[in-house]
Amino acid sequence: AYKRFSELLPKEERENACSARVPKSQILTLPELRANPFQDRICHVFSTSDTRDDSMSFEDFLDMLSVFSDSATSDIKSHYAFRIFDFDEDGTLDRNDLEQLVNCLTGQGEESRLSTAEMEQLVQNILEESDIDKDGTINLSEFQHVVSRSPDFARCGALQR
């Protein structure tokens, strides 16, 4: 992990990799993130940057790798997936978060974008399946409940490496 992290730094900074921060643009060159539709959110969620530039310290990088690893528990993976899907960072997945999530998965192009009616139906289906307390949003425990019924989540979910 240290070697991979330091290789993302300019040569002159590699000696001090433990105290350096890798810019988001470099993190996004990793093969595991390059084609991930949630790459920006992943960098944002794992970054502890005070300047909110989504750069990563070595510790941030280790946290990200550990969540992506096969040995991470489903609870850990689902917790971070929830944070990644919570685009407005309000602690719930509401209709707007779900629409953004679907757009990330289907692509932003006109040919792949769902119609308004299709999007509304899909979001409604997700809420009917997941919103246990019927408040119009999905909280972390509701999300984890749905994930627990999906054995493929840890293998094929958003946090697949």
Side-chain angles (χ1 to χ4, degrees):
Y2 181 80
K3 183 176 187 275
R4 287 192 78 193
F5 180 80
S6 63
E7 287 172 350
L8 295 171
L9 291 165
K11 284 187 176 30
E12 61 275 6
E13 291 182 39
R14 289 182 184 169
E15 280 184 29
N16 300 318
C18 280
S19 60
R21 296 194 71 83
V22 171
K24 175 183 174 180
S25 60
Q26 282 301 108
I27 298 292
L28 294 179
T29 66
L30 292 168
E32 296 88 344
L33 291 179
R34 201 174 300 139
N36 190 309
F38 299 100
Q39 59 181 220
D40 291 325
R41 289 292 304 154
I42 290 168
C43 287
H44 183 73
V45 164
F46 285 97
S47 174
T48 58
S49 171
D50 291 336
T51 62
R52 312 236 339 130
D53 64 359
D54 296 343
S55 64
M56 287 193 194
S57 68
F58 180 58
E59 195 169 314
D60 297 339
F61 187 74
L62 279 179
D63 288 345
M64 181 181 71
L65 290 182
S66 69
V67 171
F68 281 141
S69 81
D70 292 336
S71 59
T73 65
S74 180
D75 275 354
I76 295 286
K77 287 183 183 290
S78 62
H79 170 82
Y80 279 94
F82 182 86
R83 288 187 58 203
I84 290 165
F85 299 158
D86 183 12
F87 289 87
D88 60 9
E89 300 179 359
D90 67 353
T92 64
L93 303 182
D94 60 17
R95 288 182 174 277
N96 289 334
D97 291 319
L98 295 173
E99 286 180 17
Q100 284 185 266
L101 188 150
V102 169
N103 284 334
C104 280
L105 291 173
T106 59
Q108 302 296 329
E110 285 300 315
E111 68 284 349
S112 61
R113 186 172 292 254
L114 297 181
S115 71
T116 303
E118 291 169 328
M119 179 66 81
E120 179 56 36
Q121 185 61 57
L122 183 55
V123 168
Q124 190 58 41
N125 290 349
I126 293 168
L127 287 170
E128 284 175 15
E129 179 74 23
S130 309
D131 182 15
I132 296 166
D133 63 9
K134 302 299 180 207
D135 67 350
T137 66
I138 302 167
N139 62 36
L140 177 59
S141 64
E142 290 168 331
F143 182 79
Q144 288 180 319
H145 176 73
V146 169
V147 167
S148 72
R149 297 183 304 173
S150 177
D152 289 340
F153 174 78
R155 274 188 297 117
C156 303
L159 298 180
Q160 183 64 12
R161 59 184 170 119

